[in-house]
Amino acid sequence: MPQKQKSAPEIRLSPIDFTSQGESVQRLIRSFAVKNIVHAYLLTGDAGLGKKSLARLLAQSLFCENSDKAPCGECGECARILAGTHPDYFELVPTKTKQLSVEDVRNFQEKIAVKSYEGGWRAIIIPNGDSMTPQAQNALLKTLENPPEKNVFIVCACRSSSLLPTVLSRLRSIALLPYPLAAFVSQLSRRSIGEREAKKVYAVSGGSIGTAIAMLSDSDYMPLRDQISLSIPKLSSARDIASLSLALKERKNDSDIIFSLIEQTIRTPLLAQSGSSDARELMLDYPLDWQKAAREERESSFVKMLEAVMEARKQSVSNVTFQAVLESLFYIISEEHNSWQR
Ligand SMILES: [Zn+2]
């Protein structure tokens, strides 16, 4: 039994609350708390959903001294995991390039060739499984096929397709889901981000807490987001079309994000029509005629707008000027918008 540390490092609770994740995540957390586990897991889901935070939380459960409420986040063991000072807790990350190389894996395998430092569990997290080269994966496979006793691997990856089928077959896979709007808002409020700001980035962040925080802290992004979400639903006259395309004409480098923001603006009423209560709530910030169009199920109109965005994406990589691409796109959106008055 490890000695309780007198001066434990500063304790940080997991920054993400996983209670709104699906049943499979809840079951996983419970299974770690009672040590009813297999030796290798894969956590998948978009960037920013909290895969690494969840992996750390699970590792804490393995070592936590308060087994009845593991992970307590308060005991010396929990604190050592969070501080990164636990001798039987590893995060396997690239050392030389951005990719996790076969050399990285082999160096690590030497470290775990001996028994765990404190004779109990050992947790190995691979925070960015997408970055593993095929050679590194093949090297890791050997350990996964013949794991040392009481070693638990947790691989985090945005896409399971970035892993070799042979590696995948050795991992128990659990998917993290986008957060529902209410949970998303409450998680961001724990980081002093207001409800209004949180709602602004909900759709475009794909319900991902980490992505939302990155967007909100990007001083360039939010003004662009506001400009597009306010101007697109108002497009009606030739003057509106000209002034918005003029304002954006120099931002061809941001075309990807601009088109995504436009798509998001148009997709929300479509989602509201299909019954998404989160989208319905987001519609409250739209002009009244857009709210009405969403209620009247003008689906074909929104679909036409979305098709026009797809076409504009294609056009933007051709020789046509970005301003001209935007003008034709905004013309189609305004035509559809105006048709609702008729
Ligand atoms: Zn604990």
Side-chain angles (χ1 to χ4, degrees):
M1 192 67 173
Q3 293 288 305
K4 259 199 176 171
Q5 292 189 333
K6 276 189 183 136
S7 57
E10 188 197 348
I11 292 165
R12 288 178 293 133
L13 285 169
S14 170
I16 297 185
D17 171 10
F18 292 99
T19 46
S20 59
Q21 281 289 338
E23 177 53 27
S24 57
V25 169
Q26 302 309 318
R27 214 179 305 130
L28 178 68
I29 292 173
R30 287 195 298 270
S31 68
F32 267 75
V34 296
K35 318 283 191 292
N36 179 18
I37 47 181
V38 297
H39 73 273
Y41 292 86
L42 170 65
L43 304 179
T44 60
D46 286 341
L49 287 177
K51 298 184 291 294
K52 197 159 98 179
S53 298
L54 177 59
R56 285 185 179 145
L57 191 80
L58 297 173
Q60 281 180 297
S61 274
L62 279 184
F63 298 99
C64 182
E65 294 163 30
N66 294 313
S67 56
D68 52 332
K69 52 173 183 171
C72 72
E74 292 163 0
C75 69
E77 293 291 86
C78 282
R80 286 203 293 171
I81 301 282
L82 283 179
T85 56
H86 198 294
D88 289 320
Y89 171 80
F90 296 89
E91 289 191 9
L92 185 47
V93 292
T95 51
K96 291 202 175 110
T97 63
K98 282 187 174 171
Q99 287 196 304
L100 193 67
S101 69
V102 65
E103 197 187 345
D104 290 328
V105 173
R106 291 210 176 112
N107 287 340
F108 166 75
Q109 281 166 327
E110 277 172 27
K111 279 190 212 162
I112 63 163
V114 288
K115 260 195 174 280
S116 71
Y117 192 78
E118 293 184 347
W121 292 96
R122 183 153 52 193
I124 303 109
I125 292 180
I126 302 181
N128 189 0
D130 303 278
S131 77
M132 270 193 287
T133 65
Q135 293 87 335
Q137 294 189 42
N138 272 321
L140 181 70
L141 186 60
K142 294 198 181 79
T143 306
L144 293 178
E145 282 171 342
N146 194 9
E149 202 192 338
K150 284 198 152 184
N151 279 226
V152 181
F153 287 81
I154 307 174
V155 181
C156 307
C158 294
R159 306 273 165 264
S160 58
S161 57
S162 46
L163 298 172
L164 299 172
T166 43
V167 171
L168 273 180
S169 71
R170 296 281 161 181
L171 305 173
R172 180 173 292 178
S173 180
I174 290 103
L176 272 76
L177 309 169
Y179 287 86
L181 180 62
F184 180 85
V185 169
S186 101
Q187 301 252 12
L188 288 180
S189 78
R190 290 167 58 171
R191 292 160 181 259
S192 314
I193 294 168
E195 182 175 347
R196 204 177 155 69
E197 293 300 286
K199 282 183 176 172
K200 277 185 183 180
V201 288
Y202 176 66
V204 79
S205 69
S208 159
I209 309 288
T211 306
I213 290 166
M215 286 172 165
L216 287 163
S217 51
D218 180 343
S219 58
D220 219 26
Y221 177 80
M222 289 312 284
L224 183 63
R225 189 261 165 217
D226 285 345
Q227 183 180 27
I228 287 173
S229 65
L230 292 173
S231 314
I232 291 291
K234 287 187 188 145
L235 285 175
S236 175
S237 66
R239 182 191 287 195
D240 300 334
I241 297 169
S243 87
L244 186 57
S245 13
L246 191 67
L248 297 172
K249 73 169 191 171
E250 303 294 346
R251 305 202 64 167
K252 188 170 178 170
N253 287 341
D254 298 321
S255 62
D256 231 12
I257 192 76
I258 289 173
F259 290 134
S260 298
L261 285 165
I262 298 173
E263 274 167 349
Q264 212 55 66
T265 306
I266 300 166
R267 198 171 286 128
T268 300
L270 213 45
L271 288 171
Q273 280 177 11
S274 66
S276 155
S277 55
D278 287 351
R280 280 187 190 155
E281 194 174 337
L282 296 173
M283 281 309 293
L284 297 175
D285 280 338
Y286 278 67
L288 289 175
D289 55 350
W290 276 66
Q291 295 186 26
K292 187 160 170 270
R295 282 196 305 275
E296 287 172 354
E297 304 191 354
R298 291 187 179 267
E299 190 181 337
S300 64
S301 212
F302 297 123
V303 171
K304 266 188 211 157
M305 291 180 186
L306 285 175
E307 284 168 356
V309 183
M310 268 164 62
E311 184 57 32
R313 273 188 191 273
K314 276 189 227 155
Q315 290 285 319
S316 70
V317 292
S318 70
N319 284 332
V320 188
T321 67
F322 191 48
Q323 187 178 3
V325 171
L326 292 174
E327 274 171 4
S328 10
L329 169 61
F330 297 160
Y331 176 76
I332 295 172
I333 295 175
S334 72
E335 281 288 280
E336 287 304 319
H337 180 204
N338 292 336
S339 76
W340 302 342
Q341 326 298 334
R342 286 171 213 144

